[in-house]
Amino acid sequence: MLLTGTHSRTLDDKKRFTLPKRVREQLGEPATLFVTPGPDQCLWLYTQVELERLADKLDKAPATDAEARVFRRLYFAQTEAVELDRTGRVLLPERLLQFAGLQHEVALIGVRDHLELWDGQRWRQYLETHAPRFDAVAEGAFKER
């Protein structure tokens, strides 16, 4: 799956936002998404298939790896399944809203295999901080590991 783009969204009074139709189509018109806490105080949104793919990667760490165990516990314990209504609206759980500090204006961004949901102001600050470093970051991202 190749999710891309930035979509400005707003949360309604019930703390719902609408996935753009193009994004819903890319995701295969799912009835359910999984919302998880992500780094940098954003939320990650996965389809079941992509979340299972991520879980398979995480399962490659041995059971004796203490950091991997901690991450799996924290990550999956806080993951919530959310349903999309007929119009593509997603109701976000209150504790995840609080985790990400989401208010009214949010940014939905495509990050290849998942979506991220950011507070609109925090996303603008992230861009201001990191966009000037794009060339340097790109160089490092394409180095062989």
Side-chain angles (χ1 to χ4, degrees), residues 99-117:
F99 166 84
L102 302 181
Q103 300 297 317
H104 181 66
E105 180 190 342
V106 296
L108 180 71
I109 65 170
V111 188
R112 192 187 175 287
D113 64 346
H114 68 282
L115 299 163
E116 291 183 356
L117 192 63

Side-chain angles (χ1 to χ4, degrees), residues 61-144:
T64 56
D65 183 330
E67 290 295 308
R69 284 195 317 269
V70 169
F71 179 77
R72 283 191 295 251
R73 287 175 185 143
L74 292 174
Y75 186 76
F76 289 106
Q78 297 179 84
T79 298
E80 296 271 348
V82 295
E83 294 181 7
L84 280 72
D85 70 10
R86 290 188 327 260
T87 62
R89 287 182 303 194
V90 176
L91 175 64
L92 295 167
E94 183 62 34
R95 74 180 167 73
L96 291 174
L97 281 166
Q98 290 177 7
F99 166 84
L102 302 181
Q103 300 297 317
H104 181 66
E105 180 190 342
V106 296
L108 180 71
I109 65 170
V111 188
R112 192 187 175 287
D113 64 346
H114 68 282
L115 299 163
E116 291 183 356
L117 192 63
W118 289 71
D119 173 72
Q121 179 62 30
R122 188 173 306 106
W123 175 245
R124 285 189 294 278
Q125 290 170 345
Y126 186 90
L127 284 174
E128 287 174 19
T129 300
H130 296 286
R133 301 178 43 231
F134 182 82
D135 289 347
V137 173
E139 190 174 308
F142 287 99
K143 283 187 179 174
E144 297 269 339

